[in-house]
Amino acid sequence: MKVIDLRSDTVTKPTEEMRKAIYDAAVGDDVYGDDPTVNELEEFAAKLVGKEAALFVPSGTFGNQVCIMTHTNRGDEVILESHAHIKRYEVGAAAVLSGVILHTIDGINGQMNINDIKDAVRGDNIHYPSTRLICLENANGSGKVFDLDYMEQVYELAKKFDLKVHLDGARLFNAATFLNVESKEICKYVDSVTFCLSKGLAAPIGSIVAGSKEFIAKARKNRKLMGGGMRQVGIIAAAGLVSLKKMIHRLNEDHDNARLFADLISGLNGVEVFYERLNINMVFCNIDSKIINEDYFVNELKKQNILVNGYRSGEEVRFAFHNDISREDVYTAFEAIKEIFKSVK
Ligand SMILES: *Cc1c(COP(=O)(O)O)cnc(C)c1O
């Protein structure tokens, strides 16, 4: 029986086309710059997001951290929103690897107020660390997508204070799909960007970092320092090329499925969908624990091969839609959830 895995878009399996591309990939030693498939992927990716150069890295976390390391010096300050992946879910890497201070700002749905950013920029005082970098996350982990106008405002502010802007664009192409623009329109307003091939784009492994030629040359050296110099890595880059050539054009299907699912479950008594941040492939909602016990909900679904992340009372639940979830699966998952709600009445 098919497993309907709604835990994340990272669970996507490589497509048939990717497996064939992996089998056929021309390879070489990428530390020598000899892997033609990696070179092709990096060139293709750079062009796609409108940057001079790109670098293939093992993960999104690696990409963000190599960018922070490349932009900053030890003791520098990085401004970012309190819920940012870089701050919450990267194991403190910015402190360990780059020795920087994270200056967090509370935003709304991950979006920092422009004046708050401005106030966070350090002045010229012997006691202060130097503000060096602003990190944005778009699409945001909250499900929200920030518009181009906001991106531009942050970028202009950064340039005024001679700061760099890094975009954690793990789901960059979901953001572009929502805004109905090319990804390079978003990346115009940042100095560096990381995006994941291994989430909604279904590649098994890998992320891309893009920026200026000079930045990427430095980042390449830092990637080596971090242990990310890989050899015949065209084997996995081949799948990444399929991601960028084919998979970014189908993300709207995932967004449509998320919206359909949201509309279906929002009709259930005790479910509150957060529509204001239903922008991409993820539905966030609250399920009233007085009506449904969390563990019961997760376990009952699991019995039917429907996987959702565990959550605690009062916490939100996230359902992620992706390449391995069909429209039919959306209805199947909804019917199962509906039955669980009925069974506790
Ligand atoms: C997934 C994710 C990352 C990290 O990617 P990994 O490949 O899991 O290391 C970074 N930022 C955001 C917003 C993400 O969703």
Side-chain angles (χ1 to χ4, degrees), residues 255-269 271-275 278 283-285 321 327 330-331 334:
H255 294 197
D256 291 347
N257 281 339
R259 192 154 277 276
L260 169 66
F261 181 79
D263 288 345
L264 290 169
I265 60 161
S266 63
L268 297 173
N269 183 30
V271 176
E272 182 198 3
V273 172
F274 298 115
Y275 271 102
L278 176 53
V283 177
F284 291 87
C285 60
F321 296 83
R327 172 128 307 205
V330 175
Y331 286 108
F334 169 66

Side-chain angles (χ1 to χ4, degrees), residues 110-340:
Q111 188 162 6
M112 298 178 281
N113 178 291
I114 296 287
N115 285 323
D116 290 347
I117 301 177
K118 198 168 159 194
D119 290 343
V121 178
R122 300 286 189 167
D124 192 15
N125 180 311
I126 196 171
H127 301 90
Y128 291 168
S130 308
T131 308
R132 188 78 57 194
L133 179 66
I134 300 170
C135 292
L136 298 177
E137 188 178 299
N138 199 13
N140 194 262
S142 68
K144 182 87 185 162
V145 173
F146 309 152
D147 62 24
L148 294 178
D149 188 51
Y150 177 76
M151 298 297 298
E152 185 177 12
Q153 283 182 51
V154 174
Y155 192 60
E156 278 181 358
L157 176 77
K159 293 306 116 176
K160 204 166 127 200
F161 291 101
D162 199 21
L163 309 175
K164 299 292 184 192
V165 179
H166 170 70
L167 175 62
D168 176 356
R171 296 187 180 85
L172 171 68
F173 298 99
N174 295 89
T177 299
F178 175 74
L179 295 175
N180 201 18
V181 299
E182 286 194 61
S183 55
K184 63 175 89 153
E185 294 302 312
I186 300 173
C187 297
K188 240 179 12 202
Y189 304 114
V190 300
D191 299 290
S192 61
V193 58
T194 300
F195 63 82
C196 292
L197 300 166
S198 59
K199 288 190 168 166
L201 302 185
I205 304 166
S207 286
I208 295 282
V209 164
S212 70
K213 261 194 189 132
E214 192 192 349
F215 177 83
I216 292 298
K218 277 193 204 162
R220 194 176 291 280
K221 185 150 183 164
N222 285 332
R223 182 184 69 174
K224 193 80 182 81
L225 181 155
M226 290 165 66
M230 299 175 284
R231 302 297 178 174
Q232 286 74 30
V233 69
I235 287 283
I236 48 181
L241 271 165
V242 178
S243 288
L244 296 186
K245 287 178 180 172
K246 297 283 171 67
M247 306 306 283
I248 60 175
H249 305 297
R250 58 154 305 284
L251 291 174
N252 59 317
E253 291 174 34
D254 301 338
H255 294 197
D256 291 347
N257 281 339
R259 192 154 277 276
L260 169 66
F261 181 79
D263 288 345
L264 290 169
I265 60 161
S266 63
L268 297 173
N269 183 30
V271 176
E272 182 198 3
V273 172
F274 298 115
Y275 271 102
E276 74 280 8
R277 48 195 165 91
L278 176 53
N279 289 169
I280 56 170
N281 61 325
M282 301 190 296
V283 177
F284 291 87
C285 60
N286 265 336
I287 297 179
D288 189 340
S289 59
K290 289 200 275 307
I291 296 177
I292 296 269
N293 172 277
E294 310 78 45
D295 293 336
Y296 178 75
F297 181 74
V298 173
N299 289 330
E300 284 303 301
L301 285 176
K302 197 170 175 189
K303 282 185 199 160
Q304 300 176 60
N305 283 327
I306 299 166
L307 305 184
V308 299
N309 277 329
Y311 63 102
R312 288 190 298 273
S313 170
E315 259 179 16
E316 33 184 78
V317 197
R318 185 185 78 171
F319 300 92
F321 296 83
H322 51 76
N323 190 47
D324 297 339
I325 303 292
S326 67
R327 172 128 307 205
E328 198 189 332
D329 295 336
V330 175
Y331 286 108
T332 306
F334 169 66
E335 287 303 324
I337 292 170
K338 198 170 84 182
E339 288 308 311
I340 293 172

Side-chain angles (χ1 to χ4, degrees), residues 51-66:
K51 295 292 177 201
E52 285 176 1
L55 184 69
F56 186 53
V57 294
S59 70
T61 299
F62 198 115
N64 284 331
Q65 295 302 328
V66 81

Side-chain angles (χ1 to χ4, degrees), residues 14-22 238-239 242 245-247:
T15 63
E16 273 306 303
E17 194 179 351
M18 286 179 184
R19 290 173 187 272
K20 290 208 176 77
I22 288 168
V242 178
K245 287 178 180 172
K246 297 283 171 67
M247 306 306 283

